Structure formats: C-alpha cells, structure tokens
Amino acid sequence: MSTAHGVMARDAGGHNWSADPYADALRAGRGPLFLRRGDGWLLPLDVERWCARADAVDRQVLDRCEGAVLDVGCGPGRLVTELAARGRTALGIDVSEAAVAHTLGLGGPALWRSVFEPLPGEGRWNSALLLDDNLGIGGDPRALLSRVAQLLLPGGLLIAETAPVDVDERADVRIVRGTDIQGATGAAFPWARLGTRALLRYARPLGWRTVDQWSAGGRCFVSLRSRSTSSRAEPPNSTAVISSQRARKPSADRPVADS
C-alpha cells in the first residue's frame, strides 16, 4: 500500500507516531487500522492476521501454487516466509518500506517495489498471489490483471482473494489509525474492491480462464490461468531472485530496487 515516510507527529495523548499509520501498525503487530473513503466509510484491515504466521487457510492457498511464486503486495511477509520455509522459490513485493523490512526480518525474500515497475523474472513466474485485499492495488483492476499476466509464464496461475460480497468499487482512500477522524492518516491513493463476479468480468476479456472458486475461513478465493501460447521460458531460479533483494530508493517518490 502507498504510504508516507519518515514524518513524526504527536497525538493528543502525547504519543509519538509516524505519518505512516500502516508502518506503525506493522511495527506494533496490531490495529485498529482502516481504509477510509472520502465519505467516511471505513474498511477494517486485518493487521493482526497479516502479522501472524500463515494460518490453515493461507497454507491451503499456498498448496495450490505452482513452481516459482510472486506475492504481489506481500505486506509483512507471512506468505513468502512460509513458502521459503517450504524450500519454494518465491518473492514478495510491496510499496511499503516497512512491510518489506518486516518480511526480510522474518527471512522471507522481498523487494521494495511496485508491481507496475520492472521486476525480476518478468514473464517467467509460474504463480502469482493477490491476497489480503490486493486486488485493489492501483484502483484499476484491468491494468493490474494485465500486468500480472505479463509477469507470469503463458498459462501461469493467479490466485486472488475477492471481497466476500458482490461489489465492484473504485475510490480514493486513506489508511487511518482507529476510527477517530482526527487520527493520523496516510496519503490518499486509488483503491478497488472486487467480489468474485466483478473479478471474472474484468478477467475474461483479458484472456484469463477460471480454474476454481472456493471459500474458507470466511474468505473467498478465485484461481485463474493466463492466456496460453506455444512458447515457454524457464521459471526464475532461486539465485536470481535472491540476488535482487537489495532495496534502494533512487528518488523521493519512486521506491524501486536493483534488478
């Protein structure tokens, strides 16, 4: 998720907070944390689950992954850490520096980078993950699905988590700490929420084929396969992935990493 960096503030109770509520929540391992629309509507973010170890539902999702796995919007890294523990080739990417630092601290492979920037192994990943509300990245589902297709091998697998309600929404949101409108907030950024039917409406015209749909633990998932062609490339190897984990920030507004 897009966040601000490095600014400190003091709340009414005299506590010091950074200007990045998401980073604060990851450091604490807990919320409450929300996405807030301009009209005040709040979507709770499940920080405690994200900061915990992969649970049974997560592990079932990871069991479905094929080959080398790219976790788009990896957050604090429970999924890539679990994959690494299994000896799988995997990489997490996130635009939050705090999330990437947390992932690396757990021993998970991660890059501080946007999915829309150059990435290692483009066109060679076997599987991609868009879990934990990450279908909302960029606020443009067509652009996101098109980009993920570019990152996968032809016929590669995408596992996406959808909203548990039938929704197709795009809005500018902010990350806020607690429900107090005066509480610390992050910068506004575009976001989307998609239920399963909405995801499939966007995916099918782009050549994605539905593999499966299922629910577990109150969460909803869809697996899709990208358009197949006759040409295939070798999947990314673990050495190439590991060698590209040195994060840098060449400018104030474009966090990327060395390829």
mmCIF file of all heavy atoms in Angstrom, residues 87-140:
data_model
loop_
_atom_site.group_PDB
_atom_site.id
_atom_site.type_symbol
_atom_site.label_atom_id
_atom_site.label_comp_id
_atom_site.label_asym_id
_atom_site.label_seq_id
_atom_site.Cartn_x
_atom_site.Cartn_y
_atom_site.Cartn_z
ATOM 1 N N GLY A 87 11.003 -24.375 1.128
ATOM 2 C CA GLY A 87 12.030 -24.546 0.107
ATOM 3 C C GLY A 87 11.587 -24.133 -1.279
ATOM 4 O O GLY A 87 12.244 -24.488 -2.271
ATOM 5 N N ARG A 88 10.517 -23.342 -1.358
ATOM 6 C CA ARG A 88 9.994 -22.900 -2.650
ATOM 7 C C ARG A 88 10.684 -21.615 -3.104
ATOM 8 O O ARG A 88 11.046 -20.759 -2.289
ATOM 9 C CB ARG A 88 8.482 -22.641 -2.547
ATOM 10 C CG ARG A 88 7.661 -23.857 -2.160
ATOM 11 C CD ARG A 88 7.509 -24.806 -3.332
ATOM 12 N NE ARG A 88 6.777 -24.207 -4.412
ATOM 13 C CZ ARG A 88 5.430 -24.187 -4.510
ATOM 14 N NH1 ARG A 88 4.702 -24.731 -3.547
ATOM 15 N NH2 ARG A 88 4.834 -23.635 -5.545
ATOM 16 N N THR A 89 10.849 -21.451 -4.402
ATOM 17 C CA THR A 89 11.307 -20.185 -4.958
ATOM 18 C C THR A 89 10.151 -19.205 -4.907
ATOM 19 O O THR A 89 9.070 -19.472 -5.445
ATOM 20 C CB THR A 89 11.775 -20.355 -6.412
ATOM 21 O OG1 THR A 89 12.900 -21.231 -6.430
ATOM 22 C CG2 THR A 89 12.172 -19.014 -7.016
ATOM 23 N N ALA A 90 10.337 -18.085 -4.230
ATOM 24 C CA ALA A 90 9.257 -17.124 -4.043
ATOM 25 C C ALA A 90 9.861 -15.739 -3.861
ATOM 26 O O ALA A 90 11.013 -15.584 -3.462
ATOM 27 C CB ALA A 90 8.403 -17.488 -2.830
ATOM 28 N N LEU A 91 9.056 -14.731 -4.148
ATOM 29 C CA LEU A 91 9.457 -13.344 -3.945
ATOM 30 C C LEU A 91 8.223 -12.536 -3.583
ATOM 31 O O LEU A 91 7.181 -12.654 -4.236
ATOM 32 C CB LEU A 91 10.095 -12.768 -5.211
ATOM 33 C CG LEU A 91 10.510 -11.290 -5.153
ATOM 34 C CD1 LEU A 91 11.645 -11.083 -4.156
ATOM 35 C CD2 LEU A 91 10.910 -10.786 -6.534
ATOM 36 N N GLY A 92 8.327 -11.709 -2.554
ATOM 37 C CA GLY A 92 7.283 -10.758 -2.216
ATOM 38 C C GLY A 92 7.683 -9.369 -2.672
ATOM 39 O O GLY A 92 8.858 -9.004 -2.617
ATOM 40 N N ILE A 93 6.706 -8.602 -3.146
ATOM 41 C CA ILE A 93 6.952 -7.206 -3.486
ATOM 42 C C ILE A 93 5.916 -6.353 -2.780
ATOM 43 O O ILE A 93 4.774 -6.764 -2.596
ATOM 44 C CB ILE A 93 6.916 -6.940 -5.009
ATOM 45 C CG1 ILE A 93 5.553 -7.336 -5.604
ATOM 46 C CG2 ILE A 93 8.043 -7.676 -5.717
ATOM 47 C CD1 ILE A 93 5.347 -6.858 -7.036
ATOM 48 N N ASP A 94 6.331 -5.159 -2.367
ATOM 49 C CA ASP A 94 5.408 -4.252 -1.694
ATOM 50 C C ASP A 94 5.955 -2.837 -1.817
ATOM 51 O O ASP A 94 7.181 -2.637 -1.843
ATOM 52 C CB ASP A 94 5.244 -4.633 -0.226
ATOM 53 C CG ASP A 94 3.913 -4.160 0.350
ATOM 54 O OD1 ASP A 94 3.727 -2.941 0.519
ATOM 55 O OD2 ASP A 94 3.043 -5.018 0.609
ATOM 56 N N VAL A 95 5.053 -1.847 -1.889
ATOM 57 C CA VAL A 95 5.479 -0.446 -1.949
ATOM 58 C C VAL A 95 5.711 0.132 -0.564
ATOM 59 O O VAL A 95 6.152 1.275 -0.436
ATOM 60 C CB VAL A 95 4.469 0.435 -2.715
ATOM 61 C CG1 VAL A 95 4.362 -0.010 -4.161
ATOM 62 C CG2 VAL A 95 3.099 0.438 -2.035
ATOM 63 N N SER A 96 5.416 -0.625 0.483
ATOM 64 C CA SER A 96 5.683 -0.182 1.846
ATOM 65 C C SER A 96 7.069 -0.638 2.263
ATOM 66 O O SER A 96 7.353 -1.834 2.345
ATOM 67 C CB SER A 96 4.638 -0.749 2.809
ATOM 68 O OG SER A 96 5.073 -0.608 4.148
ATOM 69 N N GLU A 97 7.944 0.332 2.555
ATOM 70 C CA GLU A 97 9.285 0.003 3.016
ATOM 71 C C GLU A 97 9.234 -0.782 4.321
ATOM 72 O O GLU A 97 10.004 -1.724 4.539
ATOM 73 C CB GLU A 97 10.093 1.280 3.206
ATOM 74 C CG GLU A 97 11.537 1.058 3.611
ATOM 75 C CD GLU A 97 12.285 2.356 3.811
ATOM 76 O OE1 GLU A 97 11.644 3.415 3.885
ATOM 77 O OE2 GLU A 97 13.536 2.305 3.904
ATOM 78 N N ALA A 98 8.301 -0.401 5.206
ATOM 79 C CA ALA A 98 8.174 -1.092 6.486
ATOM 80 C C ALA A 98 7.765 -2.545 6.288
ATOM 81 O O ALA A 98 8.242 -3.444 6.995
ATOM 82 C CB ALA A 98 7.164 -0.369 7.373
ATOM 83 N N ALA A 99 6.861 -2.807 5.347
ATOM 84 C CA ALA A 99 6.419 -4.171 5.088
ATOM 85 C C ALA A 99 7.565 -5.029 4.565
ATOM 86 O O ALA A 99 7.749 -6.173 4.992
ATOM 87 C CB ALA A 99 5.259 -4.171 4.096
ATOM 88 N N VAL A 100 8.348 -4.474 3.652
ATOM 89 C CA VAL A 100 9.475 -5.222 3.100
ATOM 90 C C VAL A 100 10.514 -5.494 4.181
ATOM 91 O O VAL A 100 11.062 -6.600 4.280
ATOM 92 C CB VAL A 100 10.082 -4.469 1.908
ATOM 93 C CG1 VAL A 100 11.398 -5.098 1.471
ATOM 94 C CG2 VAL A 100 9.095 -4.460 0.739
ATOM 95 N N ALA A 101 10.800 -4.495 5.021
ATOM 96 C CA ALA A 101 11.754 -4.690 6.110
ATOM 97 C C ALA A 101 11.278 -5.784 7.060
ATOM 98 O O ALA A 101 12.071 -6.622 7.519
ATOM 99 C CB ALA A 101 11.953 -3.382 6.867
ATOM 100 N N HIS A 102 9.983 -5.804 7.344
ATOM 101 C CA HIS A 102 9.417 -6.834 8.215
ATOM 102 C C HIS A 102 9.579 -8.211 7.587
ATOM 103 O O HIS A 102 9.976 -9.177 8.257
ATOM 104 C CB HIS A 102 7.941 -6.525 8.465
ATOM 105 C CG HIS A 102 7.307 -7.315 9.560
ATOM 106 N ND1 HIS A 102 6.939 -8.638 9.410
ATOM 107 C CD2 HIS A 102 6.981 -6.984 10.838
ATOM 108 C CE1 HIS A 102 6.404 -9.075 10.535
ATOM 109 N NE2 HIS A 102 6.416 -8.097 11.418
ATOM 110 N N THR A 103 9.306 -8.305 6.296
ATOM 111 C CA THR A 103 9.429 -9.581 5.588
ATOM 112 C C THR A 103 10.866 -10.081 5.605
ATOM 113 O O THR A 103 11.137 -11.252 5.901
ATOM 114 C CB THR A 103 8.938 -9.431 4.138
ATOM 115 O OG1 THR A 103 7.579 -9.001 4.145
ATOM 116 C CG2 THR A 103 9.039 -10.744 3.389
ATOM 117 N N LEU A 104 11.797 -9.202 5.279
ATOM 118 C CA LEU A 104 13.208 -9.593 5.278
ATOM 119 C C LEU A 104 13.657 -10.013 6.669
ATOM 120 O O LEU A 104 14.453 -10.943 6.824
ATOM 121 C CB LEU A 104 14.067 -8.438 4.769
ATOM 122 C CG LEU A 104 13.867 -8.037 3.296
ATOM 123 C CD1 LEU A 104 14.649 -6.768 2.972
ATOM 124 C CD2 LEU A 104 14.273 -9.173 2.365
ATOM 125 N N GLY A 105 13.129 -9.333 7.704
ATOM 126 C CA GLY A 105 13.474 -9.696 9.070
ATOM 127 C C GLY A 105 13.010 -11.087 9.453
ATOM 128 O O GLY A 105 13.616 -11.740 10.320
ATOM 129 N N LEU A 106 11.943 -11.567 8.816
ATOM 130 C CA LEU A 106 11.450 -12.920 9.054
ATOM 131 C C LEU A 106 12.190 -13.965 8.227
ATOM 132 O O LEU A 106 11.946 -15.157 8.370
ATOM 133 C CB LEU A 106 9.955 -13.005 8.725
ATOM 134 C CG LEU A 106 8.998 -12.202 9.605
ATOM 135 C CD1 LEU A 106 7.575 -12.329 9.074
ATOM 136 C CD2 LEU A 106 9.069 -12.659 11.060
ATOM 137 N N GLY A 107 13.067 -13.495 7.330
ATOM 138 C CA GLY A 107 13.779 -14.417 6.459
ATOM 139 C C GLY A 107 13.086 -14.660 5.136
ATOM 140 O O GLY A 107 13.492 -15.551 4.375
ATOM 141 N N GLY A 108 12.049 -13.877 4.841
ATOM 142 C CA GLY A 108 11.353 -14.016 3.566
ATOM 143 C C GLY A 108 11.999 -13.139 2.501
ATOM 144 O O GLY A 108 12.458 -12.040 2.798
ATOM 145 N N PRO A 109 12.037 -13.573 1.250
ATOM 146 C CA PRO A 109 12.592 -12.778 0.164
ATOM 147 C C PRO A 109 11.606 -11.699 -0.274
ATOM 148 O O PRO A 109 10.433 -11.985 -0.497
ATOM 149 C CB PRO A 109 12.820 -13.803 -0.956
ATOM 150 C CG PRO A 109 11.785 -14.856 -0.698
ATOM 151 C CD PRO A 109 11.591 -14.907 0.794
ATOM 152 N N ALA A 110 12.064 -10.453 -0.362
ATOM 153 C CA ALA A 110 11.140 -9.367 -0.695
ATOM 154 C C ALA A 110 11.878 -8.207 -1.325
ATOM 155 O O ALA A 110 13.065 -7.982 -1.045
ATOM 156 C CB ALA A 110 10.398 -8.894 0.557
ATOM 157 N N LEU A 111 11.149 -7.464 -2.153
ATOM 158 C CA LEU A 111 11.656 -6.250 -2.785
ATOM 159 C C LEU A 111 10.718 -5.096 -2.494
ATOM 160 O O LEU A 111 9.495 -5.251 -2.522
ATOM 161 C CB LEU A 111 11.737 -6.415 -4.311
ATOM 162 C CG LEU A 111 12.874 -7.231 -4.893
ATOM 163 C CD1 LEU A 111 12.685 -7.337 -6.399
ATOM 164 C CD2 LEU A 111 14.215 -6.615 -4.561
ATOM 165 N N TRP A 112 11.291 -3.921 -2.281
ATOM 166 C CA TRP A 112 10.540 -2.670 -2.107
ATOM 167 C C TRP A 112 10.263 -2.123 -3.499
ATOM 168 O O TRP A 112 11.062 -1.397 -4.065
ATOM 169 C CB TRP A 112 11.383 -1.721 -1.269
ATOM 170 C CG TRP A 112 10.735 -0.412 -0.948
ATOM 171 C CD1 TRP A 112 9.414 -0.092 -0.975
ATOM 172 C CD2 TRP A 112 11.420 0.770 -0.532
ATOM 173 N NE1 TRP A 112 9.224 1.210 -0.615
ATOM 174 C CE2 TRP A 112 10.438 1.755 -0.334
ATOM 175 C CE3 TRP A 112 12.769 1.077 -0.312
ATOM 176 C CZ2 TRP A 112 10.769 3.056 0.079
ATOM 177 C CZ3 TRP A 112 13.086 2.360 0.095
ATOM 178 C CH2 TRP A 112 12.094 3.334 0.292
ATOM 179 N N ARG A 113 9.135 -2.501 -4.046
ATOM 180 C CA ARG A 113 8.870 -2.159 -5.442
ATOM 181 C C ARG A 113 7.383 -2.286 -5.752
ATOM 182 O O ARG A 113 6.691 -3.106 -5.175
ATOM 183 C CB ARG A 113 9.675 -3.075 -6.370
ATOM 184 C CG ARG A 113 9.707 -2.610 -7.819
ATOM 185 C CD ARG A 113 10.591 -3.489 -8.670
ATOM 186 N NE ARG A 113 11.992 -3.449 -8.271
ATOM 187 C CZ ARG A 113 12.972 -3.996 -8.991
ATOM 188 N NH1 ARG A 113 12.686 -4.634 -10.115
ATOM 189 N NH2 ARG A 113 14.210 -3.917 -8.588
ATOM 190 N N SER A 114 6.917 -1.487 -6.688
ATOM 191 C CA SER A 114 5.555 -1.572 -7.195
ATOM 192 C C SER A 114 5.449 -2.664 -8.247
ATOM 193 O O SER A 114 6.399 -2.916 -9.001
ATOM 194 C CB SER A 114 5.147 -0.227 -7.808
ATOM 195 O OG SER A 114 3.984 -0.371 -8.614
ATOM 196 N N VAL A 115 4.285 -3.291 -8.323
ATOM 197 C CA VAL A 115 4.053 -4.300 -9.355
ATOM 198 C C VAL A 115 4.142 -3.709 -10.749
ATOM 199 O O VAL A 115 4.419 -4.421 -11.727
ATOM 200 C CB VAL A 115 2.683 -4.984 -9.135
ATOM 201 C CG1 VAL A 115 1.528 -4.013 -9.351
ATOM 202 C CG2 VAL A 115 2.516 -6.201 -10.031
ATOM 203 N N PHE A 116 3.942 -2.394 -10.874
ATOM 204 C CA PHE A 116 3.967 -1.751 -12.184
ATOM 205 C C PHE A 116 5.363 -1.291 -12.588
ATOM 206 O O PHE A 116 5.520 -0.691 -13.654
ATOM 207 C CB PHE A 116 2.991 -0.569 -12.200
ATOM 208 C CG PHE A 116 1.558 -0.994 -12.015
ATOM 209 C CD1 PHE A 116 0.903 -0.777 -10.819
ATOM 210 C CD2 PHE A 116 0.883 -1.640 -13.035
ATOM 211 C CE1 PHE A 116 -0.415 -1.179 -10.642
ATOM 212 C CE2 PHE A 116 -0.435 -2.046 -12.873
ATOM 213 C CZ PHE A 116 -1.085 -1.814 -11.668
ATOM 214 N N GLU A 117 6.362 -1.572 -11.767
ATOM 215 C CA GLU A 117 7.746 -1.261 -12.102
ATOM 216 C C GLU A 117 8.463 -2.530 -12.543
ATOM 217 O O GLU A 117 7.952 -3.642 -12.353
ATOM 218 C CB GLU A 117 8.427 -0.625 -10.893
ATOM 219 C CG GLU A 117 7.866 0.758 -10.580
ATOM 220 C CD GLU A 117 8.483 1.351 -9.323
ATOM 221 O OE1 GLU A 117 8.619 0.619 -8.325
ATOM 222 O OE2 GLU A 117 8.807 2.546 -9.342
ATOM 223 N N PRO A 118 9.651 -2.419 -13.153
ATOM 224 C CA PRO A 118 10.388 -3.616 -13.586
ATOM 225 C C PRO A 118 10.641 -4.572 -12.424
ATOM 226 O O PRO A 118 10.997 -4.154 -11.317
ATOM 227 C CB PRO A 118 11.698 -3.039 -14.130
ATOM 228 C CG PRO A 118 11.358 -1.652 -14.558
ATOM 229 C CD PRO A 118 10.344 -1.175 -13.557
ATOM 230 N N LEU A 119 10.468 -5.865 -12.688
ATOM 231 C CA LEU A 119 10.618 -6.890 -11.658
ATOM 232 C C LEU A 119 11.502 -8.028 -12.159
ATOM 233 O O LEU A 119 11.573 -8.286 -13.366
ATOM 234 C CB LEU A 119 9.252 -7.458 -11.266
ATOM 235 C CG LEU A 119 8.289 -6.509 -10.561
ATOM 236 C CD1 LEU A 119 6.915 -7.148 -10.423
ATOM 237 C CD2 LEU A 119 8.831 -6.124 -9.194
ATOM 238 N N PRO A 120 12.157 -8.724 -11.251
ATOM 239 C CA PRO A 120 12.934 -9.902 -11.660
ATOM 240 C C PRO A 120 12.026 -10.977 -12.248
ATOM 241 O O PRO A 120 10.890 -11.142 -11.816
ATOM 242 C CB PRO A 120 13.560 -10.389 -10.343
ATOM 243 C CG PRO A 120 13.454 -9.249 -9.391
ATOM 244 C CD PRO A 120 12.251 -8.466 -9.804
ATOM 245 N N GLY A 121 12.524 -11.687 -13.238
ATOM 246 C CA GLY A 121 11.806 -12.846 -13.762
ATOM 247 C C GLY A 121 10.531 -12.531 -14.509
ATOM 248 O O GLY A 121 9.627 -13.365 -14.566
ATOM 249 N N GLU A 122 10.434 -11.342 -15.103
ATOM 250 C CA GLU A 122 9.194 -10.985 -15.810
ATOM 251 C C GLU A 122 8.893 -12.008 -16.899
ATOM 252 O O GLU A 122 9.751 -12.373 -17.688
ATOM 253 C CB GLU A 122 9.304 -9.590 -16.418
ATOM 254 C CG GLU A 122 9.403 -8.505 -15.360
ATOM 255 C CD GLU A 122 8.786 -7.189 -15.819
ATOM 256 O OE1 GLU A 122 8.119 -7.180 -16.871
ATOM 257 O OE2 GLU A 122 8.966 -6.190 -15.109
ATOM 258 N N GLY A 123 7.652 -12.477 -16.935
ATOM 259 C CA GLY A 123 7.233 -13.456 -17.921
ATOM 260 C C GLY A 123 7.662 -14.876 -17.606
ATOM 261 O O GLY A 123 7.465 -15.779 -18.424
ATOM 262 N N ARG A 124 8.221 -15.101 -16.394
ATOM 263 C CA ARG A 124 8.739 -16.431 -16.051
ATOM 264 C C ARG A 124 8.217 -16.970 -14.728
ATOM 265 O O ARG A 124 8.592 -18.061 -14.315
ATOM 266 C CB ARG A 124 10.272 -16.401 -16.047
ATOM 267 C CG ARG A 124 10.871 -16.174 -17.412
ATOM 268 C CD ARG A 124 12.385 -16.204 -17.376
ATOM 269 N NE ARG A 124 12.927 -14.988 -16.771
ATOM 270 C CZ ARG A 124 13.919 -14.959 -15.893
ATOM 271 N NH1 ARG A 124 14.451 -16.086 -15.454
ATOM 272 N NH2 ARG A 124 14.373 -13.817 -15.416
ATOM 273 N N TRP A 125 7.344 -16.227 -14.051
ATOM 274 C CA TRP A 125 6.782 -16.737 -12.799
ATOM 275 C C TRP A 125 5.680 -17.749 -13.096
ATOM 276 O O TRP A 125 4.873 -17.560 -13.999
ATOM 277 C CB TRP A 125 6.229 -15.583 -11.961
ATOM 278 C CG TRP A 125 7.306 -14.682 -11.465
ATOM 279 C CD1 TRP A 125 7.735 -13.522 -12.039
ATOM 280 C CD2 TRP A 125 8.125 -14.888 -10.324
ATOM 281 N NE1 TRP A 125 8.773 -12.984 -11.316
ATOM 282 C CE2 TRP A 125 9.038 -13.804 -10.249
ATOM 283 C CE3 TRP A 125 8.177 -15.878 -9.333
ATOM 284 C CZ2 TRP A 125 9.992 -13.686 -9.242
ATOM 285 C CZ3 TRP A 125 9.123 -15.763 -8.329
ATOM 286 C CH2 TRP A 125 10.011 -14.676 -8.287
ATOM 287 N N ASN A 126 5.663 -18.825 -12.319
ATOM 288 C CA ASN A 126 4.630 -19.847 -12.506
ATOM 289 C C ASN A 126 3.307 -19.459 -11.858
ATOM 290 O O ASN A 126 2.233 -19.792 -12.374
ATOM 291 C CB ASN A 126 5.084 -21.183 -11.913
ATOM 292 C CG ASN A 126 6.364 -21.692 -12.531
ATOM 293 O OD1 ASN A 126 7.436 -21.484 -11.972
ATOM 294 N ND2 ASN A 126 6.274 -22.349 -13.681
ATOM 295 N N SER A 127 3.387 -18.802 -10.697
ATOM 296 C CA SER A 127 2.189 -18.439 -9.942
ATOM 297 C C SER A 127 2.331 -17.029 -9.395
ATOM 298 O O SER A 127 3.443 -16.560 -9.119
ATOM 299 C CB SER A 127 1.970 -19.397 -8.751
ATOM 300 O OG SER A 127 1.849 -20.736 -9.169
ATOM 301 N N ALA A 128 1.200 -16.361 -9.237
ATOM 302 C CA ALA A 128 1.160 -15.047 -8.597
ATOM 303 C C ALA A 128 0.023 -15.037 -7.585
ATOM 304 O O ALA A 128 -1.000 -15.696 -7.774
ATOM 305 C CB ALA A 128 0.968 -13.941 -9.628
ATOM 306 N N LEU A 129 0.219 -14.279 -6.517
ATOM 307 C CA LEU A 129 -0.789 -14.138 -5.471
ATOM 308 C C LEU A 129 -1.251 -12.694 -5.380
ATOM 309 O O LEU A 129 -0.423 -11.770 -5.401
ATOM 310 C CB LEU A 129 -0.216 -14.563 -4.114
ATOM 311 C CG LEU A 129 0.255 -16.007 -3.967
ATOM 312 C CD1 LEU A 129 0.940 -16.196 -2.621
ATOM 313 C CD2 LEU A 129 -0.900 -16.973 -4.129
ATOM 314 N N LEU A 130 -2.563 -12.505 -5.284
ATOM 315 C CA LEU A 130 -3.177 -11.210 -4.973
ATOM 316 C C LEU A 130 -4.161 -11.456 -3.829
ATOM 317 O O LEU A 130 -5.360 -11.575 -4.036
ATOM 318 C CB LEU A 130 -3.894 -10.633 -6.197
ATOM 319 C CG LEU A 130 -3.025 -9.976 -7.268
ATOM 320 C CD1 LEU A 130 -3.844 -9.683 -8.520
ATOM 321 C CD2 LEU A 130 -2.379 -8.689 -6.746
ATOM 322 N N LEU A 131 -3.624 -11.535 -2.618
ATOM 323 C CA LEU A 131 -4.427 -11.836 -1.438
ATOM 324 C C LEU A 131 -4.549 -10.601 -0.552
ATOM 325 O O LEU A 131 -3.951 -9.561 -0.835
ATOM 326 C CB LEU A 131 -3.801 -13.000 -0.663
ATOM 327 C CG LEU A 131 -3.542 -14.297 -1.439
ATOM 328 C CD1 LEU A 131 -3.039 -15.386 -0.504
ATOM 329 C CD2 LEU A 131 -4.777 -14.765 -2.188
ATOM 330 N N ASP A 132 -5.343 -10.715 0.507
ATOM 331 C CA ASP A 132 -5.438 -9.648 1.519
ATOM 332 C C ASP A 132 -5.824 -8.303 0.907
ATOM 333 O O ASP A 132 -5.147 -7.289 1.142
ATOM 334 C CB ASP A 132 -4.120 -9.503 2.271
ATOM 335 C CG ASP A 132 -3.675 -10.780 2.955
ATOM 336 O OD1 ASP A 132 -4.556 -11.602 3.277
ATOM 337 O OD2 ASP A 132 -2.466 -10.953 3.173
ATOM 338 N N ASP A 133 -6.878 -8.277 0.131
ATOM 339 C CA ASP A 133 -7.406 -7.045 -0.484
ATOM 340 C C ASP A 133 -6.540 -6.500 -1.617
ATOM 341 O O ASP A 133 -6.813 -5.409 -2.130
ATOM 342 C CB ASP A 133 -7.592 -5.929 0.565
ATOM 343 C CG ASP A 133 -8.519 -6.315 1.693
ATOM 344 O OD1 ASP A 133 -9.575 -6.910 1.413
ATOM 345 O OD2 ASP A 133 -8.205 -6.014 2.864
ATOM 346 N N ASN A 134 -5.520 -7.235 -2.059
ATOM 347 C CA ASN A 134 -4.588 -6.674 -3.031
ATOM 348 C C ASN A 134 -5.114 -6.609 -4.455
ATOM 349 O O ASN A 134 -4.438 -6.057 -5.342
ATOM 350 C CB ASN A 134 -3.258 -7.426 -2.987
ATOM 351 C CG ASN A 134 -2.426 -6.998 -1.799
ATOM 352 O OD1 ASN A 134 -2.427 -5.837 -1.406
ATOM 353 N ND2 ASN A 134 -1.716 -7.950 -1.207
ATOM 354 N N LEU A 135 -6.309 -7.126 -4.712
ATOM 355 C CA LEU A 135 -6.951 -6.837 -5.996
ATOM 356 C C LEU A 135 -7.201 -5.344 -6.154
ATOM 357 O O LEU A 135 -7.428 -4.862 -7.262
ATOM 358 C CB LEU A 135 -8.282 -7.585 -6.111
ATOM 359 C CG LEU A 135 -8.237 -9.004 -6.637
ATOM 360 C CD1 LEU A 135 -9.614 -9.647 -6.531
ATOM 361 C CD2 LEU A 135 -7.749 -9.035 -8.080
ATOM 362 N N GLY A 136 -7.159 -4.616 -5.047
ATOM 363 C CA GLY A 136 -7.393 -3.176 -5.101
ATOM 364 C C GLY A 136 -6.209 -2.363 -5.543
ATOM 365 O O GLY A 136 -6.342 -1.155 -5.801
ATOM 366 N N ILE A 137 -5.027 -2.960 -5.674
ATOM 367 C CA ILE A 137 -3.807 -2.207 -5.967
ATOM 368 C C ILE A 137 -3.980 -1.360 -7.222
ATOM 369 O O ILE A 137 -4.348 -1.866 -8.287
ATOM 370 C CB ILE A 137 -2.611 -3.163 -6.133
ATOM 371 C CG1 ILE A 137 -2.228 -3.757 -4.771
ATOM 372 C CG2 ILE A 137 -1.420 -2.456 -6.754
ATOM 373 C CD1 ILE A 137 -1.165 -4.831 -4.844
ATOM 374 N N GLY A 138 -3.712 -0.071 -7.092
ATOM 375 C CA GLY A 138 -3.759 0.850 -8.223
ATOM 376 C C GLY A 138 -5.143 1.362 -8.565
ATOM 377 O O GLY A 138 -5.270 2.285 -9.366
ATOM 378 N N GLY A 139 -6.190 0.736 -8.021
ATOM 379 C CA GLY A 139 -7.536 1.195 -8.293
ATOM 380 C C GLY A 139 -8.025 0.929 -9.702
ATOM 381 O O GLY A 139 -9.058 1.455 -10.122
ATOM 382 N N ASP A 140 -7.317 0.079 -10.464
ATOM 383 C CA ASP A 140 -7.669 -0.207 -11.861
ATOM 384 C C ASP A 140 -7.511 -1.709 -12.085
ATOM 385 O O ASP A 140 -6.415 -2.172 -12.429
ATOM 386 C CB ASP A 140 -6.765 0.579 -12.804
ATOM 387 C CG ASP A 140 -7.150 0.431 -14.272
ATOM 388 O OD1 ASP A 140 -7.865 -0.533 -14.613
ATOM 389 O OD2 ASP A 140 -6.728 1.279 -15.080
#
